[in-house]
Amino acid sequence: MARKTRRPAATAQTKLDTVTTACPGCGRTMSIDYYNRRTLTTLQGVLRFRVQIRRCHHLGCPLYRRPFRPEAEGRLALPHHEFGLDVLALVGALRYAEHRSIPQIHQALRGRGLVLAERTVSNLLDRYDELRALSVADLTRRKDLFRQQGRVLLAIDGLAPDVGHEVLWVIRDCLSGEILLARSLLSSTQDDLAKLLAEVKGALDELQVPVQGVVSDGQQSIRNAVAKALPGVPHQLCQFHYLREAGLGIYELDRHAKKELKKRVRGIRKIERKVQGRTDPLAEVIRGYCQAVRGALTDDGRPPLDAKGLLLHGRLSAICASLDRLARRGELPRELKRLGQLLRQGLDETASLWPEVRSTFRWVHQAARVLSHSAGLSGRQVKFRLRCLLGRMSAEACRLSEQGQDKQAELLEHFIKVSHSYEPGLFHCYDVKDLPRTNNDLEHVFGSVRYHERRASGRKVASAGLVVRGAVRVVAAVATRLRVVGGEELAPASLAQWRKQRAELDRLRHARVCQRRFRRDSSSYLRDLERKYRQSSLLL
């Protein structure tokens, strides 16, 4: 959209000279050909620059008459941009360090005396994401940090912000928390992931920093990629993912029992309505018991260790026992009698489900204790303990199968099968110092980015910006929370690399636009493709 008002007048004027006087192509002295004027809006005000331009006039030079601009100009602003890099740095800090929305950032910039539109803030934020991601990808800028560490421990995982789009793969250093690489891939084959790992390893080899360990989930393509790109490097498989996958059937058994119990505990709202509007102490007690039941029913759990069905059963049993103790002291009011009847009916009708859930979940908790209570033990010792537990579990599965309890036996056999699949990568964390047992830290990074994106944008789901620009936005968000930078640190080392990155992001954005156009008007979209095909066939 065109500007409707004039730019503010410059508050200061200065001159920028070209430091390089010798031509890089032929070595001869370049002459000062002309001066350009450029106006930048910075945090210090509107500055007017007189830019010196030099050119080489030797006919045989490969850089003949190519203009050379002052080197300091690249540390002030991007080419053809109106705002300085210090403004971009402030926008990024307000967004990712203080989690402000676009209107709030716009208001803060206007409070500093900057004249700009709200839409411009979105564009400045996009430029900040790109520049910060480029600076993070340049590992030489953090060579002192990695050399001080002396090693890195890699964590790799993928983020799929939206169904049907590229998956954002992130490689992060577990020791420093720095993201080493983030890239969107349409496919996640082992060759694609191996190239990402090899790229990171090559950059670290140039810094003479070894990779001493990798942690990831149990996805087979990641396992093969690590074995291909980092042979001999210990690859720790996430123990959280292992327990969740191995105990999935057991968790589903608990969830089914919880669903059956909740289905039978109905009618709490009717009891609450009967005491609505009453302020006597007895009504407060009745409402308190109803709220306790409601709190127990609405507490949902997550695998692998949360047996929320068993927890619900225990809580409702405790409420029922409390009502029984009151009943032994005297006559209960009708509302509490009805509440007790509802709870006893639900507990009695589902009583046959809980022994099976309780016995199978006991094995999951025992495996978790073997893996977590291992201070001072080596990986070989922990593996021996887990194998002993799996042996007892196998014997229990055989006994259950002989007794006709095939379903419970199948759950234990599935746990044993998944354990054997994960076993080669479960125990490196006990032998490699600081290698985490789980990959939850990287997943928490993803969750934090999604949470703050929803918080700042007001969206309930991932925004289109996170889907399309995730390769730069996630990196910028994480890096800014680790350390806020100034404008000079955002200056790109290579403008060609920045333009290449923007072209890739534009390609992803165009793919998103095409999908939206097809959903809005499919017939027009298809006619346009047919027309383009006929035009291309005429050119052949």
Side-chain angles (χ1 to χ4, degrees), residues 189-239:
T189 63
Q190 68 178 56
D191 292 335
D192 294 332
L193 300 180
K195 290 179 181 178
L196 299 184
L197 291 168
E199 182 177 340
V200 172
K201 183 179 183 300
L204 292 172
D205 287 343
E206 293 181 0
L207 301 179
Q208 299 180 349
V209 179
V211 178
Q212 292 192 351
V214 183
V215 60
S216 73
D217 57 28
Q219 188 173 329
Q220 193 61 43
S221 60
I222 300 180
R223 299 192 198 187
N224 297 337
V226 173
K228 180 179 180 179
L230 303 171
V233 176
H235 183 195
Q236 172 69 30
L237 301 181
C238 178
Q239 295 182 356

Side-chain angles (χ1 to χ4, degrees), residues 250-293:
I250 300 174
Y251 177 79
E252 290 297 324
L253 187 68
D254 174 79
R255 190 179 66 86
H256 171 72
K258 179 184 178 181
K259 182 184 69 175
E260 293 298 322
L261 179 56
K262 291 176 66 175
K263 189 189 301 182
R264 288 163 174 79
V265 182
R266 301 292 185 184
I268 308 299
R269 191 179 301 275
K270 293 181 180 180
I271 299 175
E272 290 176 324
R273 285 175 180 168
K274 290 182 179 180
V275 296
Q276 189 174 4
R278 290 171 51 181
T279 58
D280 55 287
L282 182 58
E284 291 295 328
V285 172
I286 295 173
R287 278 194 290 266
Y289 273 104
C290 291
Q291 291 303 320
V293 174

Side-chain angles (χ1 to χ4, degrees), residues 7 9-14 38-42 44-49 76:
R7 292 181 64 180
T11 58
Q13 296 187 8
T14 185
R38 184 175 183 183
T39 303
L40 289 179
T41 300
T42 67
Q44 288 73 36
V46 182
L47 305 182
R48 181 81 165 177
F49 293 95
L76 296 174

